[in-house]
Amino acid sequence: MQRLIAVSNRVPKPGDRYTSGGLSVALRNALERAGGIWLGWSGEVQEAPDSEPKAQTTRFNNVDYVTVDLTRRDEEEYYNGFANRALWPLFHHRPGLTEFARRDMAGYYRVNQIFARILAPMVRPNDIIWVHDYHLIPLASELRALGVKNRIGFFLHIPWPAPELFTILPNHARLAVNLVNYDLVGFQTKPFMDNFIAYLKEEMNINAQGCLVEAFGRICQLGVYPISIDTQEFIRFAEAPASAIARRLEASLQGRMLALSVDRLDYSKGIPQRIDAIGRFLELYPEYHNRITALQIAPTTREAVPEYAEINREVAEAAGRINGRFGDIDWGPIRYINKSIGRATLAHLYRAAKIGVVTPLRDGMNLVSKEYIAAQDPRDPGVLILSRFAGAARELRGALQVNPYDIDGVAHALRAACEMSLEERIARFEPMLQHLKIYDVHRWRDDFIHALTPDHALAMSA
Ligand code: ADQ
C-alpha cells in the first residue's frame, strides 16, 4: 500500500475538523484513506536551546501527526527571518521589504535538516512525500542526502518571482537546485511556472523540455495545479440558517449595501490601497453616502515581523481618515476589525455582501475570492471585484477584474458593482460556480497525488 507523507511548516490539530480550512481537510482525507504521516513545526518553542529537537507523535484515524518543537533561534532565523523577511516579500515582488541575512539562511537550512533527520527513518519504500510551501524548499535535497529515494513532490502556495527578482537572493542558485531535487514541482499558475523555467534557462543554461527539467542527474516534472476550496462545504454553510453574528451584521446595516473584504493582515493583500479606493468612490459618487458599508476583516499574523505591525497601523489610519472625512453621526463607511471568524459564519457574511472586494497586489491564488463565489445565493448573487494579480483571476473570469494600484479604476469597479443588473450578475456568477464545483480542493489534491505516484511517472518518461 502506498502511504502519503505530508510535510508543511505547521500541522493542524488531529481531531480539529471544525475550524480547519479546505486544504487541511483535503490533505487529511487523503492521509486517512491511505494511511500516512503529517510532519511539521508544533508552533512551540523549546526551552533548552542546545538539545536535539524532539518530535512528538499523535496517532489519529490512521495518521501519525509528527510535530517538532523549535528553538527560539530557529523560530527567529528560519520562520521570521529567511521565510518571512526574505522569501515572502521577494516572491511577492517587494524587494524593498526584503531583508537577507546569511545567519537567517543558515537557520533555514538547519531547520530543513532537522525535519529531514526526523522524517527519514519513518519513510517506507513505497511512500510518496508531498512537501508544502516556501518554508521547505530544501527538504528534498536534505532527504536525498540521507538516502531517501522515494518520489517527493513540492507545491508552492505563493507566486514564483520573475528571474530578475529571484536573483536578488544571494543563494538563488542553491534554491533552484533544491527545487530540481523534487520529482514533481507544482505551481498555482502557468506564469509562475514560466518564471522558474525562464530562470533555469537564463541563469543556469538549462532548457526545460515542455514541463520536464533534466539537470544535475535528475528529472524533475513541473506542473500547474491551481488550489481551490471545498466548494460543496461552502455552499452547505451558506445555505444553513444564518448564525447570530450574521443576523447582528444584517441588523446593523439598516438596509445599506455591504462590501466585504476578508484577508490575513498582510502587505501583499493591498488593504490600504483598497481603503483609498473606497474613499475615492465616495468622493466621485456622493449619491452612495450612507448607502454602503465596507467591512474589512483582517486578523493579525506574523506579529514578530516589523512590517506586519506597520501594515496594521497603516490600515487603521487609512480607515480612520476615510471615516473622518465621509462619515456622519449615524454612519461610518468603513468598519475595520482584526477578528478571525469561524468558517460557517464567514460563509454567511460572504452571502450577505452584495460586493466582495478582493484586491491583493500579488497573490499565489487567493481562496477568499473562491469562497465568496461559492457562498452566493444563485438567485441573487453578489459581484466579485478581483485583482488581476491574484492567481484566481485566471479562473474567475466573471469577476470585475481590476488593477489594485489603480485607485480610480477600483472606485469605478465599485460603482459598476453597485449598479449591476440582476441579469448580468447571474450571467457572470453561474460559470464561476460551475467551474468551482468541478475544480475544488479534492480535485486539486487528487491531480497532484496522481502525478506524484510512480506509475504516472513511468508513463511520462516512456
Ligand atoms: P493566504 O495568504 O493565507 O494563503 P488565502 O488564499 O486568501 O490567503 O487564504 C486565506 C484563508 O484564510 C481562506 O480560507 C480564508 O477564509 C481564511 N481567512 C482569512 N481571513 C480570515 C478571517 N478573518 N477569519 C477566518 N478565516 C479567515 C496562501 C497564499 C494564497 C493561496 C493559499 C492556498 O498566499 O495565495 O491561495 O496559500 O494555497
Side-chain angles (χ1 to χ4, degrees):
M1 179 86 176
Q2 168 192 282
R3 295 190 314 170
L4 174 63
I5 298 177
V7 191
S8 54
N9 174 54
R10 294 294 303 276
V11 177
K13 295 215 177 349
D16 192 5
R17 277 171 197 279
Y18 199 63
T19 53
S20 299
L23 167 66
S24 358
V25 174
L27 272 181
R28 184 155 37 205
N29 290 348
L31 287 162
E32 289 179 358
R33 217 162 41 202
I37 298 173
W38 194 334
L39 178 131
W41 177 28
S42 60
E44 300 295 322
V45 171
Q46 70 177 34
E47 290 313 323
D50 299 323
S51 60
E52 180 69 6
K54 280 191 298 291
Q56 267 209 334
T57 302
T58 312
R59 192 165 175 79
F60 187 84
N61 279 356
N62 215 13
V63 180
D64 287 330
Y65 292 85
V66 183
T67 54
V68 186
D69 295 350
L70 297 178
T71 64
R72 181 77 57 207
R73 184 170 153 218
D74 293 335
E75 180 188 35
E76 189 44 34
E77 295 173 359
Y78 149 81
Y79 183 73
N80 293 329
F82 195 73
N84 286 325
R85 275 200 294 265
L87 293 181
W88 176 274
L90 194 66
F91 281 33
H92 286 87
H93 282 189
R94 301 292 290 272
L97 298 178
T98 302
E99 284 173 48
F100 178 85
R102 282 181 190 246
R103 196 192 49 225
D104 291 346
M105 183 184 76
Y108 178 77
Y109 278 93
R110 183 177 66 245
V111 171
N112 273 270
Q113 275 157 16
I114 291 171
F115 280 14
R117 274 208 304 277
I118 290 170
L119 184 58
M122 300 178 178
V123 178
R124 298 182 196 155
N126 289 330
D127 294 346
I128 56 170
I129 304 172
W130 186 359
V131 179
H132 289 263
D133 230 358
Y134 60 102
H135 316 85
L136 300 172
I137 295 172
L139 192 65
S141 303
E142 302 300 344
L143 286 167
R144 303 270 181 238
L146 297 173
V148 173
K149 301 215 158 34
N150 300 53
R151 300 264 303 159
I152 313 179
F154 177 82
F155 183 74
L156 182 67
H157 290 258
I158 67 173
W160 187 272
E164 56 274 30
L165 279 142
F166 184 53
T167 49
I168 289 174
L169 281 176
N171 63 326
H172 58 88
R174 185 171 174 195
L175 278 173
V177 173
N178 289 150
L179 212 53
V180 175
N181 255 315
Y182 286 91
D183 297 291
L184 174 66
V185 176
F187 298 89
Q188 300 271 28
T189 68
K190 184 165 180 302
F192 300 153
M193 179 174 82
D194 289 345
N195 279 344
F196 183 58
I197 292 175
Y199 168 86
L200 289 176
K201 186 170 164 55
E202 288 164 24
E203 283 288 321
M204 302 196 131
N205 206 15
I206 296 170
N207 282 308
Q209 304 297 321
C211 289
L212 288 183
V213 178
E214 202 172 344
F216 320 114
R218 302 192 49 83
I219 296 178
C220 168
Q221 185 195 331
L222 310 178
V224 176
Y225 300 89
I227 197 170
S228 193
I229 58 166
D230 188 336
T231 310
Q232 292 301 343
E233 181 194 49
F234 250 85
I235 294 174
R236 251 193 338 272
F237 281 157
E239 284 177 351
S243 56
I245 300 182
R247 285 202 304 274
R248 266 170 55 203
L249 171 67
E250 290 264 19
S252 76
L253 290 172
Q254 299 185 318
R256 293 182 194 104
M257 208 172 334
L258 175 66
L260 176 65
S261 300
V262 177
D263 312 79
R264 267 185 320 98
L265 187 58
D266 191 295
Y267 49 79
S268 66
K269 304 293 181 184
I271 305 173
Q273 291 83 348
R274 179 185 304 159
I275 290 178
D276 284 349
I278 292 164
R280 186 64 54 82
F281 164 77
L282 293 170
E283 184 185 324
L284 294 174
Y285 308 108
E287 63 273 27
Y288 281 98
H289 289 195
N290 209 0
R291 286 181 54 207
I292 191 165
T293 295
L295 171 59
Q296 171 71 61
I297 304 178
T300 48
T301 49
R302 304 178 191 167
E303 282 145 283
V305 179
E307 285 74 19
Y308 286 76
E310 173 62 24
I311 187 77
N312 196 5
R313 200 182 52 73
E314 216 181 307
V315 173
E317 268 181 26
R321 209 171 39 242
I322 305 294
N323 280 337
R325 178 163 170 208
F326 296 101
D328 211 329
I329 48 169
D330 56 353
W331 170 68
I334 296 183
R335 295 181 192 174
Y336 171 49
I337 58 177
N338 292 131
K339 269 197 177 56
S340 181
I341 308 275
R343 307 187 62 69
T345 303
L346 205 52
H348 290 139
L349 303 190
Y350 288 138
R351 187 173 268 217
K354 287 291 148 229
I355 313 175
V357 192
V358 185
T359 53
L361 304 177
R362 191 167 161 87
D363 214 333
M365 178 53 58
N366 192 294
L367 295 178
V368 168
S369 58
K370 294 186 170 182
E371 292 167 355
Y372 177 78
I373 293 300
Q376 293 309 298
D377 176 355
R379 286 154 308 184
D380 185 17
V383 180
L384 175 64
I385 296 179
L386 179 60
S387 163
R388 55 172 297 162
F389 303 124
R394 306 183 69 79
E395 294 170 82
L396 302 180
R397 296 291 184 189
L400 289 179
Q401 298 209 355
V402 295
N403 172 353
Y405 294 92
D406 175 12
I407 305 297
D408 289 299
V410 178
H412 293 316
L414 280 162
R415 167 103 187 301
C418 291
E419 305 271 307
M420 195 180 286
S421 68
L422 175 63
E423 198 183 9
E424 182 175 351
R425 281 187 278 130
I426 291 178
R428 287 173 174 273
F429 161 79
E430 277 178 349
M432 293 196 280
L433 183 67
Q434 287 318 317
H435 176 87
L436 293 179
K437 281 183 175 169
I438 299 168
Y439 296 99
D440 65 1
V441 73
H442 306 290
R443 169 75 182 260
W444 168 80
R445 171 202 64 202
D446 291 343
D447 285 351
F448 191 92
I449 290 179
H450 176 72
L452 188 57
T453 45
D455 291 351
H456 175 79
L458 281 178
M460 283 293 290
S461 54

